[in-house]
Amino acid sequence: MKQRVLILDFGGQYDRLIARRVRECGVYSEVWPCSSPIEAIREFDPVGLIFTGGPGSVYAPDAPDVDMGVFSMGIPILGICYGCQLLAHRLGGEVTPAQSDTAREYGKTETEFRTDSALFRGLPEKSVTWMSHGDYMARVPDGFRVIARSAACPNAAVADEKRRFYGVQFHPEVRHTRYGTEMLRHFLFDVCGAAGGWSMDSFRERAVRELREKIGDGRVLLALSGGVDSSVCAALLSEAVGRQLTCVFVDHGLLRRDEGDEVEAAFAGRELNFIRVDAAGRFLSRLSGVTEPEQKRKIIGEEFIRVFEEESRKLGTVDYLAQGTIYPDVIESGLGNAAVIKSHHNVGGLPEHVDFREILEPLRLLFKDEVRQLGRELGLPETLVSRQPFPGPGLAIRVIGEVTGEKLRILRAADAVFREEIDRAGLGAAASQYFAALTDMHSVGVMGDGRSYDSAVALRAVATEDFMTADWVRLPYDLLDRVSTRIVNEVPGVNRVFYDITSKPPATVEYE
Ligand code: XMP
């Protein structure tokens, strides 16, 4: 199966996007640091290399660089933005800072293409690209010709068609580049001759086969949180090794309405040992009287590990501990290559005293949407597969102040109403996360003929790409009206409903 492409990362902001686009084209790709040793790159045996963008200048003292050996591997290279400048710089061209503001380009740029080049064949001669660069190629290296230009940048793309090296100043991976995906397809299929056909289905088959070979007749233990990643990981391992897998689902009593039962039901008919530990009482008693958010988180984290350890000790020896680590976690930790990936388990908050031989991370090369796709292929219910992110400490960080059973009851009921109404209105896709929180405020109201002195519920719906920043979603007034009326009518103990209209920053998504 010779169809892998290797993406060398120079620190650009769109690196992951490139990998996703390549995979969307049916070609398997991985992102590695640009400093990866040439031997490892050769061993990976890619059909082509892509150099990503990056924030620096190729002339900076510690500019990210690549082993010169890549240029003599005899495979095609596509350099994007910084990657393009590096290609030019290393092969004898000249890169300079743009002399004037007019030569710097940011954003949508009208660009002209030479459509006799393999990269742009069959595309219109003029269209829009997304540029974002300060430096540009002042002189094209020998053997290269210019295949695109824009008003400010006479060398917007270059090609050495003999060696199959291509460089583009713009970002084909970004949707704003009108024909970006077509350009990537041309590079992958026409230039690299990739076979294509990589899909979740083929991933599943291969992963199951490899897991069986590796695990043999060993035993595997997995902490199942009910989130997408650990659930898909469990389903995959169950398909691979059946009852050699034990999943421990610690129900800390801080899940949303019916969530624990949904997780259990999703695994009911499968080959695996499923242990659900009802630890709600333990968690509540440890949280009793605690109001400080960080302390709450710490207690929940510790208690989780304690319960998990107790359960796993009952099982005796296990050979493997499985984890639902996914690709963004791996890339984010700045790892990206096989040698260091193993240290990743240290960041997962894993129990230290569980004896096991090795960590298994069967999803570690998949993006979130690929994990969801795999979950569907494995027959997990849509409610679980498309679940919105839910924090490990659960509802405890959505109850402001001390957590009690009564407050959890109120919050669960209000949250269920809000989510149900959003889903019914078909607005789920507009928000990345939407939930209710229980404030610690009490206020006076009038209900029927009497005075009430009850709690206030806050509703939050945010849209975000990466959860680092988020904006509140402009939900329709009539929807908010319906939700508010229903919550006050249906949930005893609530007499006021607020809608949170703060973005992140300055607020955060969660309340604690
Ligand atoms: P914040 O509140 O930091 O949330 O803006 C950003 C994203 O992270 C999730 N989140 C957590 N997830 N454990 C988790 O697994 C946590 O302690 C935690 N705190 C926040 C939050 O739901 C949002 O998606």
Side-chain angles (χ1 to χ4, degrees), residues 16 89 102 124 128 131 236 242 247 329 333 345 382 425 452 502:
R16 279 192 243 164
H89 175 58
T102 47
V128 169
M131 297 270 189
L236 184 67
C247 287
D329 307 332
S333 318
H345 69 265
E382 193 56 36
S452 67
T502 25

Side-chain angles (χ1 to χ4, degrees), residues 8 10 33-36 38 41 49 51 63-71 77 82 86-87 90:
L8 291 179
F10 292 89
C34 61
S35 56
S36 301
I38 185 72
I41 296 176
L49 294 173
F51 295 174
D65 206 347
V66 69
D67 190 302
M68 276 303 276
V70 296
F71 298 109
I77 299 177
Y82 179 91
L86 185 83
L87 198 72
R90 294 300 245 141

Side-chain angles (χ1 to χ4, degrees), residues 281-298:
R282 281 178 70 155
F283 279 83
L284 265 188
S285 69
R286 287 235 29 221
L287 288 168
S288 167
V290 182
T291 55
E292 208 280 313
E294 279 314 302
Q295 207 186 342
K296 281 183 177 175
R297 279 169 190 273
K298 202 159 163 257

